[in-house]
Amino acid sequence: MTSPISRALQTLEQSCAACSNCGLAEERQRAVVGRGNPEARLMLIGEAPGAEEDASGLPFVGRSGQLLSGLIAEAGLDEDDDLYICNVIKCRPPGNRKPTAQEMDQCRPWLEQQLTLINPPLVLLAGATALQSLLGIRSGISKRRGQWHDQDQRAFMPVFHPSYLLRFRSREPGSPQDLTLQDLKEARRRLYSERQSLR
């Protein structure tokens, strides 16, 4: 039986598919809203869809998404049960460019609705765009990653965007992939400690 949250997210997806608030709607194949458990207590927010996401309608399914999925599993998280995954922007910017401030503002109500419906206490911010959009922090991810920031009654942790991780094959200690794995393990630790406190 479909939960009320799932039904509300389906309605949101239909509304996103009909959205023409900015010029990105003119070139998209599909609006890319989210995937995962609608009742997850951990949300991961990235920047924007790429070509494969635009074609499939699902976030993080291309090469960087596959790398992310592998790291999530290695950290001991169940991608389909523990997380809900989405982006700041729901339509692909041409050439995978960074979204403009205006585009992020136009798309912000959809993200706000997702945060309200799912209401996750823990949020991972993948990349500088998500960090800036959600927390208003413009400094680089390297200085902020792996640290929890409390805001709006949620705990946010910046992590490297998986597209950045594709540039580095190394899994040596201290490498970007290794650091991201450690961050995801910390998110799992925090998630499971939150669950214990609810019992």
Side-chain angles (χ1 to χ4, degrees), residues 16-31 49 54 89-95 97-107 110:
C16 277
C19 176
S20 58
N21 288 347
C22 74
L24 295 181
E26 298 172 9
E27 298 189 38
R28 72 173 179 232
Q29 292 185 61
R30 299 180 65 175
D54 183 47
I89 296 290
K90 309 310 182 191
C91 298
R92 181 194 181 199
R97 65 163 170 76
K98 182 179 177 180
T100 67
Q102 183 178 11
E103 288 163 351
M104 287 193 282
D105 286 345
Q106 295 280 13
C107 216
W110 303 124

Side-chain angles (χ1 to χ4, degrees), residues 4-174:
I5 297 174
S6 294
R7 289 195 295 272
L9 286 171
Q10 288 171 1
T11 301
L12 187 151
E13 288 183 12
Q14 292 166 0
S15 298
C16 277
C19 176
S20 58
N21 288 347
C22 74
L24 295 181
E26 298 172 9
E27 298 189 38
R28 72 173 179 232
Q29 292 185 61
R30 299 180 65 175
V32 180
V33 181
R35 66 179 174 90
N37 181 1
E39 298 184 23
R41 298 186 59 76
L42 175 64
M43 181 184 279
L44 184 142
I45 303 174
E47 179 178 287
E52 292 188 53
E53 290 78 13
D54 183 47
S56 69
L58 297 171
F60 288 103
V61 295
R63 285 181 62 223
S64 65
Q66 291 165 20
L67 174 58
L68 176 65
S69 293
L71 290 169
I72 287 171
E74 194 172 340
L77 290 163
D78 185 323
E79 190 173 70
D80 297 321
D81 186 54
D82 291 327
L83 284 95
Y84 181 87
I85 299 173
C86 63
N87 283 305
V88 170
I89 296 290
K90 309 310 182 191
C91 298
R92 181 194 181 199
N96 291 349
R97 65 163 170 76
K98 182 179 177 180
T100 67
Q102 183 178 11
E103 288 163 351
M104 287 193 282
D105 286 345
Q106 295 280 13
C107 216
R108 184 61 184 246
W110 303 124
L111 180 59
E112 293 287 359
Q113 286 186 52
Q114 286 175 302
L115 283 164
T116 299
L117 286 169
I118 295 160
N119 196 26
L122 306 175
V123 181
L124 298 175
L125 302 175
T129 297
L131 175 61
Q132 180 182 335
S133 178
L134 273 295
L135 298 185
I137 296 173
R138 294 179 179 272
S139 64
I141 286 287
S142 296
K143 295 179 181 178
R144 302 278 183 171
R145 55 136 292 273
Q147 302 171 44
W148 292 106
H149 300 262
D150 293 327
Q151 185 170 304
D152 301 327
Q153 297 182 315
R154 304 186 204 282
F156 295 85
M157 183 202 288
V159 298
F160 289 127
H161 194 282
S163 63
Y164 172 76
L165 300 180
L166 286 174
R167 304 178 201 171
F168 306 92
R169 294 181 179 275
S170 173
R171 294 291 295 273
E172 292 295 314

